[in-house]
């Protein structure tokens, strides 16, 4: 591990931290919350960088009131006008990409190069949905019996509560806000308290782009359970779109069932990455580095289990270990950093527990495997081999820079092992045989398969999982429909 950059101070050049809002954003105004302010910590140094407002149930009700007041006007706004405002959000995000990337690096800890990639990805949801806003078309058909005609139009589903995690502070929010606004809905966003500054910086940017007051409201809270329950119990709220862990997702599905609210759920993953003997080694290593190390492993799509066929196993392990131990670990805001810190001390403790468990059960450490001393929530890039199937990390999200590798022999064996999980978000397959790649892709129980590449996310494609990885899709032409309600009119002509 190269930890040279680890003790340097965060580089906040060009970031006016005092200029960022920390209040609740309701009806276009910045407001104090009723709760006591929440500290935001730089995970690279453990220093407190801001204190943000803390909403209680009454503040949440005010946010829903604002979304309700803005709803009729926004739904009635011409799709072309909505489209132009969304396009302006894309342009402003692109113009300010470097500032936003630095802010993400500072509060989330991810390496600047990952943060830049996130800003580009996040902005693209506005461009894509600006194009979708004017293409939400209905159907007109003659009923099969011939007696009447069927007219179907798509209406905004209503007020949406959006809840997002800390691992992509910009993209997880824009992946929901952009399609919701394209569909004509108004929203209340509740970002994670670990990374609220990005959400608030973007709220100010939306306003500047012409998003009317009350269309997007943003609240942070230290009591997400009661605050969310209160919003879901409000009969004006018709949609919950959640990205986060499967555990919290299950709780929210139960909560939403009380008011029978439409739910989109982007939940946890446990992605297998499979390398066959006939794969191109360089392509597989490059892909594995992206699939494992983007965001230092803190991604729902991160490769969590690496299965490598016996014939290529030794070469793959040697090449991956070489790449992993050469990574520069340091503060996210440092230009040289390739692997930033984890989000919290708790996240590091979880990784330590999972690595210790695997080693106790027989896994071998090729590099890393030991938490460094000093400040910051760091864990080194780690490669483990011979990881047994009963290791806890085979069934749980590691959410860190640990690559657990095990060997397989046959296609049937690896498919069975890949599917032996409650999750089904993403999977990665490397092979020189396209027919085999497509065959395996069909057999793997996951919503998304990357074939001979390490990146699957694309704003123009449907992102989402099967099994306990979620319900619904974000992005592509599917994303906007999650925020629409089809309305059918039967008519005799
Ligand atoms: P989390 O579930 O702990 O928190 C997610 C959000 O839910 C946060 O805003 C949090 O404040 C809020 N929350 C927590 N408890 C709540 C409650 N009782 N009621 C309402 N809201 C509540 O997840 P996290 O640790 O922030 O994020 C990591 C998880 O997110 C991982 O499991 C990861 O796989 C998943 N994730 C999934 C996707 C996807 O697209 N499928 C994308 C990114 C992250």
């Amino acid at each position: 591990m190269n930890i040279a950059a680890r003790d340097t101070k965060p580089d906040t050049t060009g970031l006016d931290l005092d200029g960022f809002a920390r209040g609740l954003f309701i009806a276009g105004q910045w407001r104090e919350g009723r709760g006591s302010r929440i500290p935001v910590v730089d995970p690279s140094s453990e220093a407190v960088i801001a204190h943000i407002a803390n909403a209680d149930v009454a503040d949440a009700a005010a946010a829903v009131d604002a979304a309700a007041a803005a709803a009729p006007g926004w739904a009635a706004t011409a799709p072309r006008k909505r489209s132009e405002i969304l396009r302006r959000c894309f342009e402003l995000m692109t113009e300010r990409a470097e500032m936003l990337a630095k802010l993400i690096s500072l509060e989330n800890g991810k390496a600047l190069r990952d943060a830049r990639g996130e800003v580009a990805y996040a902005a693209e949801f506005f461009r894509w949905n600006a194009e979708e806003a004017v293409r939400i078309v209905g159907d007109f058909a003659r009923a099969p019996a011939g007696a009447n005609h069927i007219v179907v139009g798509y209406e905004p589903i209503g007020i949406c509560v959006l809840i997002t995690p800390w691992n992509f502070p910009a993209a997880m929010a824009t992946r929901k806000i952009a399609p919701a606004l394209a569909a004509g809905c108004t929203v209340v966003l509740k970002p994670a308290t670990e990374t609220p500054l990005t959400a608030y910086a973007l709220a100010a940017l939306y306003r500047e782009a012409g998003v009317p007051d009350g269309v997007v409201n943003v609240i942070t809270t230290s009591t997400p359970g009661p605050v969310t329950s209160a919003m879901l119990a409000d009969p004006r709220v018709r949609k919950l779109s959640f990205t986060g862990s499967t555990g919290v997702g299950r709780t929210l599905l139960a909560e939403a069932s009380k008011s029978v609210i439409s739910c989109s759920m982007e939940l946890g993953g446990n992605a297998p990455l499979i390398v066959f003997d006939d794969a191109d080694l360089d392509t597989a290593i490059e892909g594995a580095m992206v699939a494992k190390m983007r965001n230092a492993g803190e991604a729902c799509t991160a490769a969590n289990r690496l299965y490598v066929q016996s014939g290529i196993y030794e070469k793959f392990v040697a090449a991956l270990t070489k790449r992993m131990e050469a990574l520069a670990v340091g503060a996210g805001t440092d230009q040289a950093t390739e692997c930033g810190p984890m989000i919290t001390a708790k996240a590091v403790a979880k990784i330590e527990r999972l690595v210790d468990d695997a080693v106790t059960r027989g896994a071998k450490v090729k590099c890393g495997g030991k938490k460094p001393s000093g400040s910051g929530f760091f864990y080194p890039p780690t490669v483990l081999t011979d990881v047994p199937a009963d290791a806890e990390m085979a069934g749980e999200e590691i959410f860190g820079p640990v690559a657990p590798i095990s060997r397989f022999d046959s296609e049937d064996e690896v498919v069975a092992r890949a599917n032996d999980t409650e999750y089904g978000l993403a999977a990665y397959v490397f092979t020189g045989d396209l027919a085999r790649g497509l065959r395996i892709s069909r057999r793997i129980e996951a919503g998304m398969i990357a074939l001979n590449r390490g990146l699957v996310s694309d704003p123009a494609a449907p992102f989402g999982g099967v099994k306990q990885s979620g319900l619904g899709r974000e992005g592509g032409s599917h994303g906007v429909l999650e925020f629409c309600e089809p309305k059918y009119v039967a008519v005799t002509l």
Side-chain angles (χ1 to χ4, degrees), residues 163-168 172 175 190-194 224-225 228 242-246 248-249 251-252 266-269 299-300 397 399 425 463 469 474:
I163 302 179
T164 51
W166 49 263
N167 66 337
F168 289 91
M172 295 304 96
R175 203 165 74 176
K190 194 215 79 59
T193 43
E194 291 87 349
T228 307
F242 172 77
T243 299
S245 61
T246 296
V248 173
T251 304
L252 290 176
E266 295 287 349
L267 308 178
C300 52
E397 285 184 296
F399 242 59
L425 189 61
F463 187 107
S469 285
E474 292 187 327

Side-chain angles (χ1 to χ4, degrees), residues 12 38 80 96 146 156 181 244 251 343 385 396 408 424 431 440 477:
T12 52
I38 309 165
R80 174 69 71 205
R96 298 180 194 165
L181 267 53
T251 304
I343 188 75
T385 57
E396 259 186 73
F408 75 91
T431 172
I440 297 282
S477 52

